[in-house]
Amino acid sequence: MTDEDFAKTLSEQKITPKPCAKKRVRIWRSAACRISTPGKISISDREVEEYYNSNRTQFVNARGVALAMIMVDPADNSSQGLTSDAKNDTEAKLKIDSI
């Protein structure tokens, strides 16, 4: 299957792959190209190690976090056992600014 065929199939199924999925497909397709007998896959530990060592950057997950929203309820929720609860708009703004 060519890249164009693969993209067309995904498009027909309304699937948008994530970048990590694209990497996995490329790795799978790379291994599949070397299979000569259907049903018999033979990839040695040495081949896996060589592939990993020559493509280390593909296996690194970037550190960090992403924050989409900060939500602070300005209502008094202390009756629910919350100890650091903002009880009004002013306290809610102070809490958001400190975060």
Side-chain angles (χ1 to χ4, degrees):
M1 178 181 280
T2 66
D3 288 338
E4 291 80 21
D5 293 336
F6 181 67
K8 182 180 176 187
T9 301
L10 292 178
S11 176
E12 289 169 354
Q13 297 178 15
K14 296 181 174 42
I15 297 173
T16 304
K18 294 183 178 179
C20 62
K22 289 180 183 179
K23 288 181 187 177
R24 288 185 184 132
V25 169
R26 281 195 293 265
I27 292 168
W28 176 82
R29 288 176 65 198
S30 173
C33 290
R34 291 184 271 153
I35 299 171
S36 58
T37 308
K40 293 184 178 183
I41 300 172
S42 178
I43 300 173
S44 71
D45 289 343
R46 190 183 106 259
E47 287 177 297
V48 172
E49 186 175 347
E50 286 175 0
Y51 183 85
Y52 173 78
N53 287 333
S54 62
N55 297 282
R56 283 180 186 253
T57 57
Q58 292 184 19
F59 299 97
V60 174
N61 291 328
R63 290 183 171 197
V65 296
L67 179 63
M69 180 178 77
I70 298 172
M71 181 176 165
V72 176
D73 182 2
D76 185 358
N77 296 303
S78 57
S79 63
Q80 296 175 2
L82 299 174
T83 57
S84 63
D85 184 40
K87 294 171 182 51
N88 55 48
D89 289 341
T90 304
E91 288 183 18
K93 174 139 179 39
L94 288 170
K95 189 171 188 174
I96 291 169
D97 290 343
S98 70
I99 293 172

